[in-house]
Amino acid sequence: MLFYTKTFLLFWIVSFSLHFIFRKNQKVWPILLAISSSVFYGKLDTRFLLLVLAIAASDFVLGILIENETVQSKKRRLVVLSIIVNLTVLGFFKYFNFFISSTSDFLVALGFHPHIQLLKIVLPIGISFFTFESLSYVIEIYRSHMKASRNFIEYYLFIVFFPHLVAGPIIQPKLLIAQFQNGPKITEYKIKNGLWRFFVGISKKLLIADQLAYFVVDPVFTSPGMFNSLETWIGVIGYSFQIYFDFSGYSDMALGLAQVYGFELPENFNFPYLAKNIRDFWRRWHISLSTWLRDYLYISMGGGRGTRLEKYRNIFLTMLLGGVWHGASYNFVIWGLLHGVYITVSHIFNDFFESDKKLGSRFEIVQVLLTFALVTFAWIYFRADNLGTAHAIIKKLFAPSSLQTPNLSFVVFCFLGASVIYYVIARLNFFTFMDKTFSGKMGNGFVVAVIVTIVCLVMIFDKQYSPFIYFQF
């Protein structure tokens, strides 16, 4: 179920009421929350509840075995087993047909004509997120960064906790499991702030991201031949804001829901379009994935411990694999490749020419605009349905254009409105302001207004099914 439906509101009221009543009973509330999280996922896709349970059970057992094992070589084999199990599951559901079709295309190019039938595979929602989290748990135990949990419900809840289950943020296991062990810390402030954060997220999604998609982005990416260069530019830039408001909106809702239940999730965005270079962008965008790739992929390949050439290789491969993680498509491969090139070149400039030190805050606007332009260009491959559409849009960007656009005034209004909102929130310490507001005398009035607005938004948009962009990963 989506966060902005009447079904979810009913689920939330029942789930939180039970959670609040039994919040001090350490034996009861984890079971209730695990059940409600399972119901949440089952409502999205009942077919794969057993898959989630099997992955959780497998790594729960392997975690204990790894911690109890004293022989390093055997520990390593157990970790490898976990990696094989998780990546096999992920690979089958997400990449099997892509591998088969790519093999078929290669054979056709060689002159063969194979008759290969693709399987009808349904991708489990959130599979990339919960497999990565389960893997990180085992690796953290292997690295002796945490103790293995002996409470399966506690560990299962780490995997299925519904606010972050299907689209992150990807949680460091020790951060969330430790909170479950200590029990929920529900306070009036957390409930108020969580509701406000949820309101911010649902507003980003329904009032900005979905409107940009409907009026600006989808028409251009669906039928690029019908639009001139100026309209295409607006559509492409519009997608940069759509995906930000869509994904950061989900993260805001997830963090807000977790707060209401008495837990804290890490921030996943920090105004990425104000980044001054591509390295800064990846410290601000989808922070939990960037951190995961750094901790478990980049460092495992050697990180920056070798020569500079080896460091650049590791950086490039990490970003390329990060692109592949997003989906089984050449578009995502190219998107990851572009970011691999971007960030590698950025490191080279900083290593050899000390670009960060020399530029400093000078030309900040130019740096921000250049970074935004590079990211926006890469988003074309991320959004386009196939390479043909991506290349048609790129070609249209640089074609001669007329300024006469039928819907230009409304389109520009949507785009500029999203940009202004983004910039104002970024420059004003808005959440700190709201924290003070909620803790003040007017806090209760704001909470009532926020709740009423959330309910109104749900009632208005309940039938307009528009899933979060990152649900497909």
Side-chain angles (χ1 to χ4, degrees), residues 294 297-315 318:
R294 180 199 66 197
L297 191 56
Y298 175 68
I299 290 176
S300 296
M301 289 191 294
R305 293 191 296 271
T307 64
R308 280 182 173 175
L309 187 61
E310 289 172 329
K311 182 182 88 167
Y312 302 146
R313 177 204 63 194
N314 295 338
I315 291 169
T318 298

Side-chain angles (χ1 to χ4, degrees), residues 263-302:
F263 305 106
E264 298 288 342
L265 301 183
E267 294 290 343
N268 211 20
F269 290 88
N270 183 23
F271 305 108
Y273 294 148
L274 298 181
K276 292 192 290 186
N277 57 61
I278 205 69
R279 288 172 288 117
D280 188 26
F281 172 81
W282 278 104
R283 288 190 288 266
R284 295 165 173 263
W285 174 273
H286 202 346
I287 298 168
S288 63
L289 176 62
S290 304
T291 303
W292 198 99
L293 292 173
R294 180 199 66 197
D295 292 347
Y296 303 112
L297 191 56
Y298 175 68
I299 290 176
S300 296
M301 289 191 294

Side-chain angles (χ1 to χ4, degrees), residues 44 53 90 116 135 140 195 239 286 300 347 402 426 431 457:
L44 289 168
L53 182 63
L90 182 62
I116 299 176
L135 265 177
E140 287 294 284
L195 287 170
Y239 182 68
H286 202 346
S300 296
H347 272 278
S402 169
F431 287 116
L457 287 173

